[in-house]
């Protein structure tokens, strides 16, 4: 049974305009997305900036109200919980944010940042200093850091503090929202390896969000590729990399640097306008940029289908 199940999730933001700020339209940030995640696995969500993957992560966390659809964590449907039940569930579901500079309160010491969740959830104990000292050591920082402020640390160290905060309540699931994209390349692999190590020792389940396919490949068991608010292809990681079917996935893959010197020749350069999520094109949303688009692509929206019968490899393309 999946530990996390997202069903037909939609998140539309109103567009306000005019003198009276009336609603003039919608931003279709996430539009009918479904997937599940099994315990202990990493589900990667990849796509260009603005495709809706961060909004989707925030809806799962309950930071945004869904327009429709459902999110189930273990046996609980998030939208049906009382505020008290939501608070209790939030210990099982945590998030690591993209920006380690913005996500930590600069007025709090590391001790205060890490103690906060224990206090909020009524888990403060006499030996809390020992517990959070150990927490810091588990993410590769020294206990001496407890009295220091976030501005005294490098980006990588701040992200380690953010990770310590996320794992402090022994969660089951962590939504990792671009956890290394704001960091120097030299520290990215250290943070990724820390996440993998914590997953192994704590039995964590990750939803790993990134625009970088090579990072997602390194981290994920299964991958969902998002384009303009929708998942357009989903399969296990090796299938996505070796047998991608959707033209958008293929274009993304072709942009990943490879050691093969001929690889550059194979790159698929997408042309055409990137459509607005406020006014997505009819039919297949990718048809304005797709090198294989045909008349049917402009008229009919392809469904996300498994054409190989229960293979778990689904793609939304008329010619998959
Ligand atoms: Fe391209 Fe058509 Fe497939 Fe969409 S349905 S990805 S436009 S070929």
């Amino acid at each position: 049974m999946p530990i996390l199940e997202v069903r037909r999730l939609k998140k539309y933001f109103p567009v306000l305009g005019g003198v009276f700020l009336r609603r003039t339209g919608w931003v279709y940030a996430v539009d009918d997305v479904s997937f599940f995640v099994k315990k202990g696995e990493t589900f990667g969500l990849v796509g260009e900036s603005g495709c809706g993957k961060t909004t989707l992560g925030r809806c799962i966390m309950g930071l945004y109200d869904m327009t429709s659809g459902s999110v189930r964590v273990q046996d609980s449907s998030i939208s049906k919980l009382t505020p008290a039940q939501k608070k209790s569930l939030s210990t099982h579901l945590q998030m690591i944010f993209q920006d380690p500079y913005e996500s930590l309160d600069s007025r709090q010491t590391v001790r205060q940042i890490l103690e906060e969740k224990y206090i909020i959830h009524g888990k403060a104990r006499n030996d809390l200093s020992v517990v959070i000292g150990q927490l810091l050591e588990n993410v590769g920082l020294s206990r001496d850091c407890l009295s220091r402020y976030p501005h005294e640390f490098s980006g990588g160290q701040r992200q380690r503090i953010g990770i310590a905060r996320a794992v402090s309540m022994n969660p089951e699931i962590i939504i990792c929202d671009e956890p290394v994209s704001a960091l120097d390349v030299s520290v990215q692999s250290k943070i990724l390896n820390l996440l993998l190590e914590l997953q192994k020792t704590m039995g964590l389940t990750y939803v790993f969000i990134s625009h970088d396919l090579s990072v997602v490949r390194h981290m994920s068991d299964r991958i969902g590729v998002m384009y303009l608010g929708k998942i357009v292809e989903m399969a296990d990681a090796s299938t996505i990399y070796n047998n991608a079917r959707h033209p958008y996935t293929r274009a993304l893959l072709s942009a990943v640097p490879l050691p093969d010197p001929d690889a550059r020749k194979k790159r698929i350069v997408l042309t055409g306008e990137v459509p607005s999520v406020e006014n997505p094109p009819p039919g297949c949303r990718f048809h304005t940029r797709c090198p294989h688009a045909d008349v049917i692509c402009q008229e009919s929206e392809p469904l996300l289908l498994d054409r190989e019968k229960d293979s778990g490899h689904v793609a939304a393309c008329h010619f998959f």
Side-chain angles (χ1 to χ4, degrees):
M1 188 176 159
I3 192 169
L4 172 69
E5 194 168 9
V6 174
R7 276 207 190 167
R8 308 210 65 173
L9 193 153
K10 295 181 183 175
K11 177 61 188 173
Y12 302 164
F13 294 99
V15 179
L16 305 177
V19 183
F20 299 106
L21 289 181
R22 292 213 170 94
R23 181 172 59 76
T24 56
W26 294 101
V27 170
Y28 302 94
V30 179
D31 203 1
D32 206 359
V33 165
S34 301
F35 65 89
F36 66 88
V37 189
K38 289 183 272 184
K39 185 170 171 53
E41 78 170 352
T42 298
F43 181 77
L45 267 175
V46 68
E48 291 164 302
S49 161
C51 71
K53 54 194 188 305
T54 290
T55 303
L56 177 54
R58 286 172 178 253
C59 289
I60 296 170
M61 284 298 298
L63 300 176
Y64 291 150
D65 290 331
M66 294 172 267
T67 303
S68 66
S70 68
V71 174
R72 291 186 75 81
V73 176
Q74 291 165 330
D75 291 337
S76 309
S77 172
I78 285 185
S79 52
K80 291 186 182 149
L81 298 179
T82 63
Q85 287 169 323
K86 267 190 188 170
K87 187 177 162 190
S88 160
L89 186 74
S90 72
T91 59
H92 300 295
L93 191 60
Q94 293 289 318
M95 191 160 190
I96 296 168
F97 294 91
Q98 174 177 0
D99 191 339
Y101 295 89
E102 293 289 320
S103 64
L104 303 176
D105 187 340
S106 58
R107 295 161 302 177
Q108 289 186 314
T109 62
V110 174
R111 177 190 298 278
Q112 289 168 322
I113 290 168
L114 295 182
E115 279 180 351
E116 202 170 33
K117 279 192 193 290
Y118 290 92
I119 294 165
I120 290 171
H121 292 284
K123 294 188 176 178
R125 7 193 280 209
N126 292 340
D127 63 344
L128 195 52
S129 288
V130 179
V131 173
I132 58 177
Q134 182 62 53
L135 199 56
L136 271 187
E137 288 186 354
N138 291 349
V139 299
L141 293 173
S142 139
R143 288 169 191 254
D144 302 342
C145 301
L146 283 172
S147 56
R148 291 162 61 189
Y149 288 86
H151 71 267
E152 299 176 56
F153 295 91
S154 66
Q157 288 172 323
R158 286 186 202 210
Q159 196 56 299
R160 285 177 191 270
I161 296 166
I163 292 170
R165 180 176 59 181
V167 300
S168 62
M169 293 287 103
N170 280 321
E172 302 264 357
I173 306 166
I174 299 185
I175 312 289
C176 306
D177 182 15
E178 302 261 17
V180 295
S181 62
L183 304 178
D184 288 345
V185 176
S186 58
V187 293
Q188 285 186 2
S189 61
K190 290 180 185 161
I191 296 295
L192 294 176
N193 288 337
L194 171 64
L195 289 172
L196 288 172
E197 195 183 308
L198 290 171
Q199 182 173 40
K200 212 162 136 190
T201 53
M202 299 180 71
L204 296 167
T205 303
Y206 291 144
V207 174
F208 191 91
I209 297 169
S210 177
H211 66 280
D212 186 334
L213 237 131
S214 51
V215 171
V216 171
R217 177 186 197 175
H218 181 63
M219 296 297 291
S220 308
D221 299 297
R222 288 188 305 119
I223 294 172
V225 181
M226 281 191 80
Y227 183 77
L228 228 58
K230 287 183 175 285
I231 287 185
V232 295
E233 184 160 14
M234 187 161 48
D236 60 74
S238 66
T239 304
I240 288 284
Y241 282 89
N242 299 317
N243 193 22
R245 296 300 181 89
H246 197 282
Y248 177 62
T249 312
R250 290 184 178 189
L252 282 185
L253 281 168
S254 76
V256 174
L258 294 171
D260 174 5
D262 293 334
R264 284 174 67 83
K265 291 180 200 158
K266 297 170 198 158
R267 178 159 183 178
I268 302 166
V269 179
L270 295 175
T271 55
E273 289 286 303
V274 181
S276 158
V277 275
E278 212 178 304
N279 188 20
C284 174
R285 290 191 177 188
F286 188 53
H287 84 253
T288 56
R289 301 168 77 197
C290 180
H292 307 289
D294 208 335
V295 179
I296 187 177
C297 307
Q298 299 170 29
E299 295 166 351
S300 157
E301 183 176 350
L303 300 174
L304 194 61
L305 294 177
D306 185 342
R307 305 264 165 101
E308 289 161 29
K309 207 161 188 286
D310 299 333
S311 68
H313 183 188
V314 291
C317 173
H318 290 303
F319 306 110
F320 166 43

